[in-house]
Amino acid sequence: MTILGIDLGTTNSACAIWKDGESVLIPNRLGSYLTPSVVGVDEGGEILVGEIARHRLISHPAMTTSVFKRYMGSDHQIRVGKKTFTAPELSSLVLRSLKEDAEAFTGESISHAVISVPAYFNDIQRKATKLAGELTGLQVDRLINEPTAAAMMYGLHSRNDGAQFMILDLGGGTFDVSIVEYFDGILEVHASSGDNHLGGEDFLNMLAEHYFNFIGVNPNTLKKTELQHIYDGLEAAKRKLSFEREIKINGLTKSQQQPWLINRQDFERMMQPLLHRIQTPVERTLRDAGIHPDNIGEVVLVGGATRMHAFRSLVTKMFRRMPSGNIDPDLVVAMGAGIQAGLKQKDSDLDDIVLTDVCPYSLGTEIINENDPSGKQGGLFMPIIERNSIVPVSIERSLYTVSDNQTRVLINVFQGESRLVKHNVYLGELEVKVPKAKAGKESIDVRYSYDMNGLLEVDVTVPSTGKKYQKTIINSPGSLSESDIEKSKNKLASLKFHPRAQEENRSLIARAERLFESSLGERREELSQLLSSFDQVLERQNPAEIKRAAKQMSEILAELESENLFS
Amino acid sequence: MSCWDILEIEHTDDPVSIKRAYARKLKKTRPDEDPQGFSQLHTAYKQALQGANINRQTNPEPIRITELETTPSHPIATRSIHAQEPDDSTRQNDPTTTLEIPDPPTPRSPPVENIPGRELISGHLHEDLDLPLEDLNQAWDRLTEAADEVLSNSTRANEPGSWSFLNDCDALYHFDFKSSYSDFLFGRLVYYNESNNGHNILTKPPFDYLNSIFRWIDNRTILEDNYGHEVVESVLALVPAATEEQSMNWISPRQHTGPMIQGNYYSRVFSTALDLALVFFTFILISKYMANIEFLQGWLSMGKYFGWIPLYLAMVIVMTSTAFQATPGMLLFGLKVVSPRGKRLNILHSLLRTTLFLLSTAAFKITVWINLFLNDGRLLHDRLSRSMIIKR
C-alpha cells in the first residue's frame, strides 16, 4: 500500500511518495512537480485545476479562484462561475488532481495520504484539511506540520548529528517558524510558532497598494481582468527583484503614465511592516526554546516566498549571517511529507527515525474574570495545554462552579496566548450538567488531549455523578455535520472533469489566451492566428502532428512571454 | 522510578549520553504507538537534561541580554561575512558579487538524483545581500543619540518624519540589539513622560509606529516586571483598550459563535424606540398613500393611535426569526436575539417572545417592578420565552 505525501499549499501544491528508500516527487500531467492551487470552471461547466486554471485567472477571473487555503476552516463561500464552493471542497479538487497524477505515476490506486498543514493552523483549519482529503476519497493518516516536514527532509539529508536548526517557512499565505534538533535518528521539534495570515500574497498586496498609489488609481474602479493583469505583472516584478537590483514596471494598465522604478531598498522599505511582523514569531520561538540565536546551527528557508531578496536580507540582518537556501524551497515540504508517508508505511529504511513534534499554541478554556464585574474585558483565558508542549499530550484540570445551584457548566474552548479570551481563537464549546450545590462545591474535570495530527479532543468528567462527556468539540465554527459532508460529496461527484490526457494542449491554449489578454496590437493578431491554427491541428486529431504543433507553440509562447513582461 | 531508571542509564551530567539514551529508548516507545510511555520517557529526558545543565553551569553562556542593556557599548558578537570568488559552475550569468557563509562548512550531498531537469539541492546562495552590515556598536550609538534628540523636543517627537531613522537601520533586525534598543527607548519614554509632568510626550500616530516595531503592547507583562504596572500603564495609555472595530455583519449565522455578551440596557431601549418610530412613520405613509386599497382599509380604520401596533409586532416576529436575527434598531445598535444556546429563534419561538412582550407591556405596572429586581438585565419576557438579546 502506498501512502501519498501531499503539500497542499496556498499557491502551489506538490506530492511525493516513499519509494526505494527515498522520497520521490511525482510529476503532474504537464510534467512539472508543482501544481498551482487554482481551480476554475470552463465554458462547458467542466472543472479545471492547476496550470490551466492559473492561466485562466487572467482571461476568466470570474470563473477561476485561487488562494482559497486562506478560507480553510471558515464557512466562507467562494464563487466560481455559476457554482459556489467552500475552501475544503476546492482543496479537495486540487487533491483529486494530485491523486490522479500519483495513481498514473505508481500504477496503483491510492487511498491513504499524509497532508502537510502550516504549523500554526488551528484545530478548525486542520479538521477542514482532513475533510478535504476525505472528500477526495483519501484517508488522511497524518497531518504533518509544514516546517516539521521540511525539517525531516533537511535533517535526514544533512545527517548532521546534534545540529540545532531553525526552519523559516514563508509560503504563499502562512508563515511558520520551528526550531529543530536532529540527533541519532531523532528529529525533535523544540518550539514552533507562526502567523496564519502572513505570506507571499501579503507582500504582493502591499506592493500593489504602493503601485496604485503611484499611478493614482483607486483599484475598486478597475475591472476584474485589469486587476488580475496588474497583480500578475507585479508578482512577476516581485520575483524579478530577487535577481535584479532595480526593476522598471511599465504598461500594466492604461492609466499608468510613467514607468515605476523600484530598487531593492525601496521594496524593503515598502515591506517594512511585514518584515517586522516576521520577526515576532521568530523571537517567540527562540524564547520558548530557550535558545540564543547564536546557538542556532543553520537557518533553513522553506517556501517560495523565501526567495524574495527582502526576506533573505531580513534573515541575514536578524542572525547576522547568511541563511541556508540549499533545498528547493517549493518542494521540500512535499518531500518531507513523502518521508512521513514512508514512516507511516513502516518502511524498513526508516526504522531508526523517530519524529517528535510540539503543539505550537496554548489551548485552554474560559474562566470567570472576577476583577471585571462590568463585563468589559470578558472572560479570562486559562491555558490547559501550554504552547510548545510535546505531543501527544493529555492534561486534566479541575474547574469549579461559580454560582449557587448552578446546574450546567459551559466549557468554551479557546486557543491563543492572550490573557483575555476575546483576543483568542474560539474553537467550540461543550456543555455538561452538574448537580445543584453551593458555588465552588461542584467540580468538573476537563481533559484536553492533543494528538500527533494536531487535533484536539476534550473530555469532561463530573466526579460527583461520575458522568463522562466524551465528545470532541461541538459547535465549532465552520464545522460540518455528517449530512453536510454527504452533501458536499454528492456535489463534488456531480462535477464534470476534463479528461487528463488532453490537459497539456488545453493548458497551451489557456496560456496563449492569457498572453492575448495582456498584449496589444500586432502581437494580439499573431496570437490569434497561432490559436486558430492550433485549433485546426487539434481538430485533425493526428497525435503526431498535435505533438509537433504543441511543441512549436510552447516555444513561441515562451518567447513571447519573455518579451512581454518588461518591455 | 527516577528519570535515570526510565532512560536506563547511570546518573550523568553529560547531555550527549542522555540524548543517546533517549534516542535509544524512543525508538522502542514511539509517540504514535505508545503515547503514555512516550510522555513518561520525554519527561524523564527533559528532567535529566535540565539537571545536567544546572550542574554544568560553572561557566554561563557568553551573551546575556541584561549585560547589553547596562553597557550599550558592549561588543556584540558579530559574524563577519566574507566575500568569495563566484563559483563559475553554477552562476555564469550572474555578474553580481557572491557572498557565502564560511560557517558552518557542512557539505551536503544532493540526495535526490532521479529527478531530471530540476536541481533540488544546489548551493544557490548567489545573492548580493548588500553587505557588510552596519556595525552594531556604531548603530547603537547612532540610534540612541537620534532617539534622545527626537524625544528631547516634544514637537519634533510628534513630527511624522522624525522617527524615520529607525527605518534605515538594519541593526534593528538583530534580536539582541532590538530587544535592548526596545528597552532603552521605553525607558527614555518613561523618563521624558515623567519630566513632562506625567503627560504623554507622544501622540498616537508616532506611538503606534513605534509599537508596530517593538510590540510593547504584546510584551506588556515583561515591561510591567521592569517598570511596574502604573508606569507601563501610563505610557501605553495611548493604546485603545481593545480593538473592537469589527466590521458590521448584517446577517448572523444560524448558530452564534464566541462568547455571548448580554446587550447593554440602554442600547436595547433606544433600539426599541427607534423601531417604534420607524414603524409609526411607515404606518403614516401607508395610510396616506395606500388608503384606497380595499383590504387594508379594515386595518387602517383602527386609526393613527393603535393601527401601527400590529404592524410593529408583525415586524418584530418576522425580523427576529430571519437571518438578521434583529429588528432594524437592534441591527444599528449591534444586538441580536438568540436562544440561550446561541441558536436562531424559529418563527413560533419568535411569536411566543413577542406575545409575552405584548403581555408584559400591557401589564407594565407590575412588570416594571419585576424587571427592576431582575438585576442581570434580562427582562421578563425574554426570561419567560427563553431567549436572550446579545451583542452580535
Side-chain angles (χ1 to χ4, degrees):
Chain A
M1 183 191 71
T2 313
I3 301 178
L4 186 61
I6 301 174
D7 169 17
L8 185 61
T10 312
T11 38
N12 287 304
S13 297
C15 60
I17 53 168
W18 186 259
K19 196 178 158 194
D20 308 327
E22 61 186 359
S23 185
V24 180
L25 285 165
I26 294 172
N28 68 11
R29 51 207 72 183
L30 306 176
S32 118
Y33 295 116
L34 287 176
T35 303
S37 307
V38 185
V39 174
V41 185
D42 76 356
E43 288 76 4
E46 283 178 349
I47 297 292
L48 304 166
V49 177
E51 201 62 37
I52 307 185
R54 192 175 70 88
H55 289 313
R56 286 172 59 98
L57 262 183
I58 299 238
S59 49
H60 303 82
M63 296 165 77
T64 335
T65 180
S66 62
V67 217
F68 37 81
K69 190 179 177 182
R70 290 231 149 150
Y71 298 109
M72 278 306 228
S74 72
D75 33 14
H76 186 83
Q77 296 278 332
I78 301 154
R79 253 196 111 72
V80 185
K82 289 186 188 127
K83 301 189 173 76
T84 54
F85 296 95
T86 58
E89 285 168 353
L90 290 169
S91 304
S92 86
L93 295 173
V94 176
L95 288 176
R96 182 194 150 105
S97 164
L98 295 174
K99 183 181 161 210
E100 280 173 1
D101 292 331
E103 282 171 348
F105 183 80
T106 58
E108 51 183 293
S109 92
I110 289 174
S111 56
H112 291 254
V114 168
I115 303 182
S116 70
V117 288
Y120 219 55
F121 247 26
N122 65 34
D123 194 69
I124 304 163
Q125 291 166 310
R126 281 168 198 264
K127 282 191 182 128
T129 308
K130 207 168 172 202
L131 174 70
E134 278 158 18
L135 289 176
T136 322
L138 286 170
Q139 192 190 324
V140 182
D141 288 340
R142 171 64 55 86
L143 295 172
I144 183 172
N145 292 335
E146 281 166 11
T148 310
M152 286 251 250
M153 185 64 198
Y154 187 80
L156 290 198
H157 286 290
S158 69
R159 293 263 175 193
N160 189 358
D161 239 32
Q164 273 179 346
F165 48 96
M166 177 177 253
I167 309 272
L168 298 180
D169 178 359
L170 186 68
T174 52
F175 177 56
D176 282 322
V177 189
S178 286
I179 294 179
V180 186
E181 185 175 357
Y182 178 78
F183 58 91
D184 283 0
I186 309 289
L187 196 77
E188 187 179 8
V189 179
H190 283 306
S192 273
S193 184
D195 190 328
N196 264 347
H197 288 275
L198 180 61
E201 298 292 332
D202 296 283
F203 283 83
L204 180 60
N205 290 338
M206 192 77 112
L207 184 66
E209 215 174 275
H210 284 271
Y211 176 74
F212 290 126
N213 246 341
F214 173 79
I215 62 170
V217 168
N218 177 357
N220 297 334
T221 59
L222 293 174
K223 270 190 297 190
K224 224 176 167 188
T225 25
E226 241 176 318
L227 268 181
Q228 271 300 345
H229 181 210
I230 291 173
Y231 274 95
D232 202 47
L234 290 176
E235 171 68 30
K238 191 185 95 187
R239 281 165 192 245
K240 212 167 179 200
L241 212 49
S242 304
F243 302 101
E244 282 168 34
R245 285 174 172 278
E246 190 174 66
I247 49 160
K248 194 165 94 180
I249 299 173
N250 207 357
L252 289 183
T253 162
K254 273 171 250 148
S255 20
Q256 182 177 1
Q257 257 102 38
Q258 66 220 64
W260 194 34
L261 278 170
I262 48 173
N263 62 24
R264 288 179 167 178
Q265 278 78 30
D266 296 336
F267 185 73
E268 261 175 60
R269 208 159 294 145
M270 287 177 213
M271 300 303 142
Q272 231 200 359
L274 295 177
L275 296 178
H276 279 295
R277 264 175 73 192
I278 284 178
Q279 247 190 321
T280 318
V282 177
E283 275 167 12
R284 184 152 81 191
T285 322
L286 284 166
R287 210 164 44 228
D288 284 356
I291 291 173
H292 191 274
D294 288 353
N295 296 341
I296 295 284
E298 280 182 65
V299 181
V300 183
L301 303 188
V302 180
T306 57
R307 287 211 179 84
M308 269 188 305
H309 173 267
F311 182 80
R312 288 180 171 245
S313 127
L314 168 73
V315 173
T316 315
K317 287 170 189 168
M318 286 197 294
F319 292 92
R320 294 255 146 180
R321 77 182 104 140
M322 301 279 277
S324 319
N326 42 16
I327 305 188
D328 187 312
D330 286 319
L331 296 171
V332 57
V333 172
M335 297 179 79
I339 299 177
Q340 176 66 54
L343 273 173
K344 255 321 220 207
Q345 285 167 30
K346 302 203 180 297
D347 196 288
S348 53
D349 294 317
L350 292 169
D351 259 355
D352 58 342
I353 304 293
V354 187
L355 165 75
T356 67
D357 208 338
V358 294
C359 158
Y361 30 70
S362 305
L363 293 157
T365 184
E366 179 178 357
I367 52 170
I368 297 292
N369 188 352
E370 280 162 355
N371 302 325
D372 173 43
S374 63
K376 246 193 197 134
Q377 290 188 307
L380 289 178
F381 177 67
M382 179 181 97
I384 292 181
I385 295 177
E386 297 274 3
R387 71 162 182 259
N388 290 320
S389 319
I390 195 145
V391 292
V393 56
S394 181
I395 292 174
E396 191 170 88
R397 282 285 147 82
S398 293
L399 298 175
Y400 296 90
T401 52
V402 282
S403 48
D404 292 344
N405 296 330
Q406 184 173 358
T407 55
R408 296 174 306 155
V409 181
L410 187 70
I411 297 145
N412 284 322
V413 183
F414 283 90
Q415 164 205 318
E417 312 305 330
S418 172
R419 203 171 55 86
L420 303 174
V421 289
K422 67 177 172 190
H423 300 314
N424 290 333
V425 181
Y426 172 79
L427 294 181
E429 64 185 20
L430 199 74
E431 197 184 270
V432 298
K433 287 198 166 57
V434 290
K436 281 187 182 179
K438 272 220 168 315
K441 282 272 180 251
E442 268 309 313
S443 72
I444 52 169
D445 294 337
V446 181
R447 176 174 283 279
Y448 277 32
S449 310
Y450 191 86
D451 69 6
M452 291 288 280
N453 296 315
L455 298 176
L456 175 71
E457 243 178 74
V458 178
D459 297 322
V460 181
T461 323
V462 184
S464 59
T465 58
K467 210 165 172 193
K468 279 193 168 72
Y469 295 79
Q470 267 175 333
K471 210 172 180 187
T472 39
I473 309 168
I474 53 157
N475 182 21
S476 58
S479 73
L480 293 176
S481 65
E482 289 290 319
S483 69
D484 287 338
I485 294 173
E486 205 49 46
K487 237 187 263 166
S488 264
K489 270 190 188 155
N490 291 335
K491 179 165 138 199
L492 293 176
S494 71
L495 295 175
K496 283 179 291 177
F497 291 89
H498 218 78
R500 193 170 176 269
Q502 294 171 19
E503 209 145 292
E504 195 169 344
N505 299 329
R506 295 193 34 115
S507 165
L508 274 177
I509 295 174
R511 197 166 138 196
E513 278 175 352
R514 162 199 173 152
L515 261 181
F516 182 85
E517 288 283 334
S518 54
S519 340
L520 295 166
E522 255 175 59
R523 203 172 280 153
R524 270 203 164 182
E525 248 161 60
E526 195 182 329
L527 275 164
S528 94
Q529 270 175 11
L530 197 67
L531 271 168
S532 56
S533 69
F534 190 64
D535 271 342
Q536 279 169 9
V537 174
L538 284 182
E539 262 168 44
R540 284 203 286 276
Q541 295 186 334
N542 177 350
E545 198 186 352
I546 291 176
K547 209 167 181 185
R548 209 169 42 237
K551 192 163 173 257
Q552 207 181 355
M553 176 123 159
S554 78
E555 278 164 13
I556 298 174
L557 289 179
E559 204 173 297
L560 284 176
E561 272 167 359
S562 64
E563 280 174 36
N564 199 38
L565 269 180
F566 300 98
S567 44
Chain B
M1 210 152 71
S2 83
C3 61
W4 308 108
D5 294 338
I6 296 171
L7 289 169
E8 290 174 3
I9 45 167
E10 294 294 305
H11 187 292
T12 172
D13 284 347
D14 175 25
V16 176
S17 45
I18 295 174
K19 280 183 178 177
R20 232 173 244 142
Y22 170 66
R24 200 172 49 237
K25 286 284 290 177
L26 185 59
K27 280 162 195 168
K28 283 174 237 147
T29 359
R30 289 174 180 257
D32 39 355
E33 285 157 11
D34 180 8
Q36 273 184 349
F38 165 69
S39 151
Q40 200 183 13
L41 174 65
H42 189 262
T43 321
Y45 164 60
K46 283 277 142 176
Q47 212 179 335
L49 264 190
Q50 207 175 16
N53 267 342
I54 291 167
N55 291 345
R56 290 184 334 128
Q57 285 269 309
T58 37
N59 26 339
E61 302 285 301
I63 301 167
R64 280 272 165 265
I65 297 167
T66 40
E67 276 176 54
L68 193 69
E69 235 176 293
T70 45
T71 51
S73 57
H74 178 88
I76 297 164
T78 57
R79 214 173 288 238
S80 58
I81 290 152
H82 305 294
Q84 276 189 358
E85 290 294 313
D87 183 349
D88 309 84
S89 60
T90 49
R91 47 197 92 114
Q92 278 151 344
N93 34 12
D94 186 11
T96 51
T97 31
T98 309
L99 297 159
E100 282 197 352
I101 356 160
D103 182 29
T106 359
R108 277 162 296 272
S109 57
V112 186
E113 289 95 10
N114 61 339
I115 292 160
R118 184 128 194 170
E119 284 173 272
L120 268 165
I121 312 279
S122 61
H124 67 140
L125 272 180
H126 50 105
E127 299 192 34
D128 41 343
L129 283 170
D130 299 320
L131 302 169
L133 300 163
E134 186 178 11
D135 181 62
L136 290 180
N137 294 323
Q138 279 172 20
W140 179 267
D141 294 341
R142 188 168 69 87
L143 289 194
T144 46
E145 274 165 34
D148 265 327
E149 194 194 316
V150 170
L151 279 173
S152 58
N153 178 338
S154 67
T155 26
R156 184 103 201 276
N158 287 312
E159 272 167 25
S162 45
W163 290 100
S164 65
F165 66 89
L166 292 175
N167 274 349
D168 307 321
C169 181
D170 48 43
L172 213 48
Y173 288 103
H174 186 257
F175 297 105
D176 291 342
F177 187 92
K178 187 179 177 185
S179 78
S180 314
Y181 191 71
S182 163
D183 281 346
F184 162 80
L185 200 59
F186 195 83
R188 295 318 274 168
L189 270 184
V190 171
Y191 169 77
Y192 280 106
N193 280 351
E194 268 166 19
S195 56
N196 196 21
N197 302 327
H199 294 298
N200 257 317
I201 180 163
L202 288 184
T203 54
K204 198 166 157 15
F207 180 81
D208 281 350
Y209 172 71
L210 294 179
N211 185 54
S212 80
I213 296 179
F214 298 111
R215 309 244 156 220
W216 287 326
I217 296 172
D218 299 345
N219 297 319
R220 201 184 192 124
T221 38
I222 303 173
L223 292 172
E224 282 179 5
D225 287 344
N226 290 339
Y227 295 96
H229 179 75
E230 310 272 282
V231 178
V232 173
E233 195 66 31
S234 77
V235 178
L236 300 187
L238 290 166
V239 189
T243 42
E244 276 173 20
E245 291 150 32
Q246 264 188 354
S247 62
M248 186 78 186
N249 43 350
W250 297 104
I251 293 178
S252 343
R254 197 161 273 282
Q255 171 74 53
H256 178 72
T257 52
M260 302 209 288
I261 301 161
Q262 182 118 30
N264 176 298
Y265 184 76
Y266 295 102
S267 54
R268 276 154 60 196
V269 170
F270 279 120
S271 72
T272 312
L274 208 68
D275 287 335
L276 289 174
L278 188 76
V279 170
F280 184 71
F281 283 113
T282 317
F283 180 77
I284 298 285
L285 283 180
I286 292 174
S287 56
K288 198 153 191 179
Y289 295 106
M290 292 192 243
N292 47 5
I293 299 175
E294 219 161 281
F295 80 51
L296 288 180
Q297 271 164 5
W299 168 44
L300 292 175
S301 63
M302 286 167 78
K304 215 176 265 180
Y305 300 105
F306 294 106
W308 54 276
I309 290 176
L311 188 62
Y312 171 77
L313 296 176
M315 188 276 289
V316 173
I317 294 169
V318 172
M319 288 288 284
T320 48
S321 58
T322 58
F324 292 113
Q325 286 184 235
T327 61
M330 288 183 187
L331 269 176
L332 288 178
F333 281 92
L335 301 172
K336 69 175 178 180
V337 186
V338 291
S339 75
R341 287 165 162 265
K343 290 224 166 67
R344 182 185 296 171
L345 307 190
N346 61 35
I347 189 109
L348 289 175
H349 196 165
S350 179
L351 180 70
L352 173 71
R353 179 175 175 274
T354 313
T355 317
L356 285 170
F357 171 71
L358 187 68
L359 290 177
S360 83
T361 320
F364 73 95
K365 282 186 183 161
I366 310 165
T367 48
V368 137
W369 295 107
I370 301 178
N371 279 333
L372 268 184
F373 289 101
L374 296 173
N375 53 4
D376 65 348
R378 210 171 144 199
L379 297 183
L380 191 66
H381 64 278
D382 274 333
R383 196 173 282 271
L384 289 176
S385 65
R386 295 183 59 75
S387 58
M388 277 173 96
I389 296 180
I390 59 167
K391 286 193 180 148
R392 296 183 84 78

